[in-house]
């Protein structure tokens, strides 16, 4: 490789080919948008992961059937909100309010179960960078395969430490997402609760591109997925200019996108990094 080039391979993905001709525009394209709530059911005091777009630069307001929840963490670049089901909430809709715009999101159904949630076991660990320094604000998610959603979520602290409270005890898939703005690759592992999962992040190769419609208009807040026929897919949202960036391991990827509302999956191209 030319020594004047970055040690990371920049792939210029020319996504003018990315024609989302069937994309249905929402009434207000910049409105906050909930793509999913994981899990979609749980007791009071359970943390849930809300994924979406256009939630604003200020920590948004989250309500469960009208009752305001505590927002434990917010990653605007990734579109992740971690919130706790509040006391007094009942089965109904989750709404996210963008405080910058003063607008509410689409509703997302959530079922409140009887009782109050408590953990029966924990998975703990420490997250470090390639130089063995602690990594703060990495998102750790314990996944309930049977329910198809997040079971527990946590963020690493200034020492790189995290603790996931889970229930019931057993073996769980755990996904560790790097903090916003880093060039690290996410990690997946199966861990028995109670157990320990330490992880040292590795740096990835930069894959970037731009998503436009058939009129060459940039598509903001589109989901872009790069998959390489393994269990590992890389996902990211486009910014206001339709641009996406993600850090991936060397492989050959099929790149797809989904419009912010009503879009269909479209295969854009296959690209090696």
């Amino acid at each position: 490789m030319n020594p004047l080039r970055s040690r990371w391979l920049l792939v210029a993905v020319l996504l003018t080919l990315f024609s989302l001709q069937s994309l249905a525009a929402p009434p207000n394209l910049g409105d906050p948008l909930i793509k999913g709530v994981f899990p979609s059911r749980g007791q009071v005091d359970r943390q849930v992961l809300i994924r979406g777009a256009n939630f604003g630069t200020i920590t948004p307001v989250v309500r469960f059937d009208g009752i305001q929840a505590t927002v434990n963490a917010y990653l605007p670049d990734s579109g992740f909100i971690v919130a706790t089901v509040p006391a007094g909430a009942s089965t109904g809709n989750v709404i996210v309010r963008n405080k910058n715009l003063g607008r509410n999101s689409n509703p997302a159904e959530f079922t409140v179960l009887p009782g109050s949630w408590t953990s029966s076991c924990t998975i703990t660990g420490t997250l470090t960078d390639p130089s063995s320094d602690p990594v703060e604000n990495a998102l750790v998610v314990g996944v309930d395969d049977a329910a198809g959603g997040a079971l527990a979520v946590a963020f690493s602290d200034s020492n790189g430490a995290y603790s996931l409270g889970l229930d019931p005890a057993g073996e769980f898939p755990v996904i560790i997402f790097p903090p916003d703005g880093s060039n690290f690759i996410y990690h997946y592992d199966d861990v028995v609760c109670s157990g320990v999962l330490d992880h040292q992040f590795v740096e990835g190769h930069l894959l970037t591109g731009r998503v436009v419609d058939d009129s060459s208009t940039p598509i903001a807040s589109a989901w872009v997925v790069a998959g390489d026929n393994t269990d590992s897919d890389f996902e990211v949202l486009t910014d206001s200019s339709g641009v996406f960036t993600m850090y991936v391991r060397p492989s050959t990827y099929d790149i797809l996108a989904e419009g912010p509302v009503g879009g269909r999956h479209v295969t854009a191209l296959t690209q090696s990094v």
Side-chain angles (χ1 to χ4, degrees), residues 31-37 48-55 59-71 81-86 89-99 102-112:
D31 280 354
L33 174 70
I34 296 177
K35 297 285 288 186
V37 179
V48 301
L49 180 65
I50 302 169
R51 191 174 191 185
N54 301 329
F55 293 144
T59 300
V61 175
V62 177
R63 290 185 172 89
F64 287 73
D65 196 37
I67 305 297
Q68 186 166 334
T70 297
V71 175
I81 301 172
V82 178
T84 299
V85 180
S90 56
T91 295
N93 291 321
V94 175
I95 299 289
V96 175
R97 185 168 182 81
N98 181 320
K99 292 173 69 175
R103 296 178 184 170
N104 290 338
S105 71
N106 56 306
E109 293 183 1
F110 187 86
T111 301
V112 177

Side-chain angles (χ1 to χ4, degrees), residues 19-26 29 211-214 217-222 257-264 266:
S19 180
L20 300 182
Q21 297 176 358
S22 67
L23 180 65
L29 191 58
V211 180
V212 299
D213 63 16
D214 56 347
T217 302
I219 306 241
S221 302
E258 182 184 2
V261 175
R264 62 186 176 91
V266 178

Side-chain angles (χ1 to χ4, degrees), residues 68-136:
Q68 186 166 334
T70 297
V71 175
N72 307 97
Y74 174 46
L75 277 68
D77 291 348
S78 301
F80 288 130
I81 301 172
V82 178
T84 299
V85 180
S90 56
T91 295
N93 291 321
V94 175
I95 299 289
V96 175
R97 185 168 182 81
N98 181 320
K99 292 173 69 175
N100 297 92
L101 300 176
R103 296 178 184 170
N104 290 338
S105 71
N106 56 306
E109 293 183 1
F110 187 86
T111 301
V112 177
L113 301 177
S116 181
W117 187 84
T118 57
S119 62
S120 60
C121 64
T122 57
I123 294 175
T124 59
T126 301
L127 309 180
T128 55
D129 66 15
S131 300
S132 298
D133 293 323
V135 173
E136 187 177 6

